[in-house]
Amino acid sequence: MKEKLSIVKIGGNVIENTRELEKFLTLFSELEGMKILVHGGGKLATQLASKLGIESKMVGGRRITDAETLDIITMVYAGLTNKNIVAQLQSRGCNAIGLSGADGNSIRAHKRPVKDIDFGFVGDIDGVNTKIISKLLTSGLIPVFCAMSHDGQGQLLNTNADTIASELAIGLGDTFATTLYYCFEKPGVLLNVFDDTSVVKEIDTKKYKQLLTEGVIADGMLPKLENCFHALNNKVETVCLGNMYMLESNNPFFTTLTL
Amino acid sequence: MKEKLSIVKIGGNVIENTRELEKFLTLFSELEGMKILVHGGGKLATQLASKLGIESKMVGGRRITDAETLDIITMVYAGLTNKNIVAQLQSRGCNAIGLSGADGNSIRAHKRPVKDIDFGFVGDIDGVNTKIISKLLTSGLIPVFCAMSHDGQGQLLNTNADTIASELAIGLGDTFATTLYYCFEKPGVLLNVFDDTSVVKEIDTKKYKQLLTEGVIADGMLPKLENCFHALNNKVETVCLGNMYMLESNNPFFTTLTL
């Protein structure tokens, strides 16, 4: 039987709030078994850019990463955010090790080709180095990934944290029984977007199609769920969607997705 | 017989100059056997602080690390400098992994007690986690340490890179036959400080005492050499002092220190 592995992704809403982050790190440190944390960046990078007089260029909600912006992202994501998370996890008895995709050649990507928009130094993932990540895990370490990859030619690349989490879960699915947790603002997939208690607790392929037809899954949830089922179709056992309290063992309010 | 391990420390003069850094990284990547890189920070942190309107306070050549300065150091040392070095080593076939002392609980320290001067968030090292560092090394990874440690209570600490290098060499001296390379501006210990060809090629304890009596070792070289002999007296086999070209196999112009 494969050993269990939890991969947890947190976004800006947790990282930007010191108290929320501390709560989350306590929950994460209490999670049993092997685990990996993936964190995005959020507003801190935009704030630093603004202080330095560098304009943050966004197209369709996505950051355009020029050379100056890449330096800022490297400082904030891989430096400030990542190392503070690692230090705090250490204080909770979690032997965390902070990584970018360049470290241990763990996440290889290529610069996104220019079509209509030049996103700059943004990476589309080619593969994850499951061998080295497994070695870290079996050494008792808890990898903490920031949203960066590299191209193997010396170039760091800004990379979507949701995609890093799912590619890690998929890549490690051969070796481990993998559960992917996406922590976001909502407690899960909601039947009524204005009612946080209307969480759909279980979604399988049949239910997914039904909810799509009924229009319950729409807008921003469409790519999120597509990404979840992509993972499930590629050796990931379970995907959970909800706020950070889904990591609590006795909290039933989140969405579990299976095939 | 113990396996060989090289620990190389580079300072600001290499890091601040892109071409020099590239040359160094090529030399480092060509070094055979297990190895560790330790890098300081240098002027980049001061430059970023100045751009952000944060005054860099120095006392006797040492930075006073208040909370704002610690954030800057974390961004520059652990983020920008460390990850770019790692990405560049990866492009040279070196499986580098960038670390602060918090990562893998690798370097534990305590905040320096306040006597005459409050240095702020500066760490004095308590110990290195040789078990985890050995695991990384035997997994084929090449640790790249920035000049930061942690206190185990969630606090990152700014820590002297020379000391990190010697403490790593001392700690790993039980397991490996360790050589410590200190790269600095000069090609080694000089008989005549104005003549770069006057390198003293070999210094043992007897020669060290003689050079001290003659006043050849003075000023800034005094603590450097003291640090080197401290390492030699604590299981480090060899210490080499010189510029980065001492890593070239056919370069005889550097100083080798042994007991």
Side-chain angles (χ1 to χ4, degrees):
Chain A
M1 226 179 87
K2 289 181 194 171
E3 204 158 344
K4 281 189 182 181
L5 171 67
S6 305
I7 298 178
V8 184
K9 188 259 165 177
I10 48 165
N13 65 314
V14 177
I15 290 167
E16 286 153 18
N17 183 317
T18 310
R19 281 197 187 172
E20 290 290 293
L21 181 58
E22 286 183 1
K23 268 191 225 167
F24 167 78
L25 293 174
T26 300
L27 288 171
F28 178 79
S29 65
E30 286 165 355
L31 200 62
E32 286 186 10
M34 293 193 185
K35 51 196 170 186
I36 293 175
L37 177 58
V38 181
H39 64 86
K43 287 179 195 151
L44 269 172
T46 313
Q47 284 165 4
L48 179 63
S50 146
K51 277 189 199 165
L52 293 169
I54 297 163
E55 199 190 336
S56 289
K57 299 170 208 90
M58 310 288 277
V59 175
R62 293 195 171 198
R63 194 187 294 277
I64 305 291
T65 312
D66 58 15
E68 274 182 324
T69 307
L70 183 71
D71 280 356
I72 286 184
I73 281 171
T74 311
M75 291 196 283
V76 175
Y77 294 6
L80 194 61
T81 304
N82 190 268
K83 295 311 161 201
N84 276 299
I85 287 175
V86 167
Q88 287 205 41
L89 284 174
Q90 289 288 347
S91 76
R92 288 162 172 82
C94 238
N95 201 358
I97 184 165
L99 302 169
S100 75
D103 298 294
N105 190 24
S106 51
I107 306 169
R108 195 69 89 94
H110 60 272
K111 191 170 171 289
R112 184 172 300 163
V114 179
K115 287 180 191 164
D116 301 334
I117 303 158
D118 183 357
F119 283 101
F121 295 106
V122 166
D124 290 324
I125 296 174
D126 294 318
V128 301
N129 188 339
T130 55
K131 201 176 147 193
I132 215 75
I133 302 167
S134 300
K135 272 194 185 173
L136 297 177
L137 287 167
T138 52
S139 300
L141 290 164
I142 293 149
V144 177
F145 281 95
C146 68
M148 300 196 78
S149 61
H150 79 136
D151 71 354
Q153 310 299 312
Q155 184 63 58
L156 293 163
L157 294 163
N158 183 13
T159 305
N160 183 276
D162 279 16
T163 316
I164 285 185
S166 63
E167 290 295 329
L168 285 170
I170 291 168
L172 293 159
D174 276 328
T175 317
F176 300 96
T178 307
T179 300
L180 181 55
Y181 295 90
Y182 279 118
C183 294
F184 71 137
E185 298 82 0
K186 297 284 175 188
V189 176
L190 302 176
L191 277 177
N192 173 357
V193 75
F194 302 107
D195 178 5
D196 275 4
T197 66
S198 68
V199 174
V200 187
K201 292 195 183 168
E202 286 178 20
I203 303 179
D204 59 13
T205 313
K206 198 181 152 197
K207 182 89 179 172
Y208 176 45
K209 282 178 187 163
Q210 183 201 323
L211 291 172
L212 279 173
T213 314
E214 289 170 357
V216 171
I217 298 167
D219 305 324
M221 288 306 283
L222 277 169
K224 237 184 196 22
L225 273 279
E226 203 175 309
N227 189 24
C228 293
F229 275 92
H230 170 68
L232 291 170
N233 282 308
N234 287 279
K235 298 178 205 152
V236 176
E237 291 209 345
T238 316
V239 181
C240 299
L241 266 180
N243 60 34
M244 63 166 144
Y245 298 104
M246 70 176 156
L247 299 186
E248 284 180 338
S249 52
N250 58 351
N251 176 13
F253 289 102
F254 61 89
T255 304
T256 303
L257 301 102
T258 50
L259 281 187
Chain B
M1 223 178 89
K2 290 184 195 169
E3 204 160 344
K4 280 188 183 183
L5 170 67
S6 304
I7 298 178
V8 184
K9 188 260 166 175
I10 48 166
N13 64 314
V14 175
I15 289 167
E16 286 152 18
N17 183 317
T18 310
R19 283 201 185 167
E20 290 290 294
L21 180 59
E22 287 183 359
K23 266 193 225 168
F24 167 78
L25 293 174
T26 300
L27 288 171
F28 179 78
S29 64
E30 287 166 354
L31 200 62
E32 286 185 11
M34 292 193 185
K35 53 197 170 186
I36 292 176
L37 179 58
V38 181
H39 64 84
K43 287 179 196 153
L44 269 171
T46 313
Q47 284 165 3
L48 180 62
S50 146
K51 277 187 197 167
L52 292 169
I54 298 163
E55 198 191 335
S56 289
K57 300 172 207 83
M58 310 286 279
V59 174
R62 294 194 170 197
R63 192 186 297 277
I64 304 292
T65 311
D66 58 14
E68 276 183 321
T69 306
L70 183 71
D71 281 355
I72 286 185
I73 281 170
T74 312
M75 292 197 281
V76 174
Y77 294 5
L80 195 62
T81 303
N82 190 268
K83 295 312 161 198
N84 276 299
I85 286 175
V86 167
Q88 286 204 43
L89 284 174
Q90 288 288 348
S91 76
R92 287 163 172 82
C94 240
N95 201 358
I97 185 164
L99 303 169
S100 75
D103 298 294
N105 190 23
S106 51
I107 306 169
R108 196 69 89 93
H110 61 272
K111 189 169 175 288
R112 183 172 301 162
V114 178
K115 286 182 195 164
D116 301 333
I117 304 160
D118 183 358
F119 284 102
F121 296 105
V122 167
D124 289 325
I125 297 175
D126 294 319
V128 302
N129 188 338
T130 55
K131 201 176 147 191
I132 215 73
I133 301 167
S134 299
K135 272 195 184 171
L136 297 177
L137 287 166
T138 52
S139 300
L141 290 163
I142 294 147
V144 177
F145 281 94
C146 67
M148 299 195 79
S149 61
H150 79 135
D151 71 354
Q153 309 298 314
Q155 184 63 56
L156 294 164
L157 295 164
N158 182 15
T159 305
N160 182 276
D162 279 17
T163 315
I164 286 185
S166 63
E167 290 296 329
L168 285 170
I170 290 167
L172 292 159
D174 275 329
T175 318
F176 300 97
T178 306
T179 301
L180 180 55
Y181 295 89
Y182 278 119
C183 294
F184 71 135
E185 298 82 0
K186 297 284 175 187
V189 176
L190 303 176
L191 276 178
N192 173 358
V193 76
F194 301 108
D195 179 5
D196 274 4
T197 66
S198 67
V199 174
V200 186
K201 293 194 181 167
E202 287 177 20
I203 302 179
D204 57 14
T205 312
K206 195 180 153 197
K207 182 90 180 172
Y208 176 46
K209 284 179 184 163
Q210 183 200 325
L211 292 172
L212 279 173
T213 313
E214 290 169 357
V216 171
I217 299 167
D219 305 325
M221 287 307 282
L222 277 170
K224 238 186 195 23
L225 272 280
E226 203 174 312
N227 189 24
C228 294
F229 274 93
H230 170 68
L232 291 170
N233 282 309
N234 287 279
K235 298 178 203 154
V236 176
E237 290 210 343
T238 316
V239 181
C240 300
L241 265 181
N243 60 34
M244 64 166 144
Y245 298 105
M246 71 177 154
L247 298 185
E248 285 180 337
S249 53
N250 57 353
N251 177 12
F253 288 102
F254 60 92
T255 304
T256 303
L257 300 103
T258 49
L259 281 187

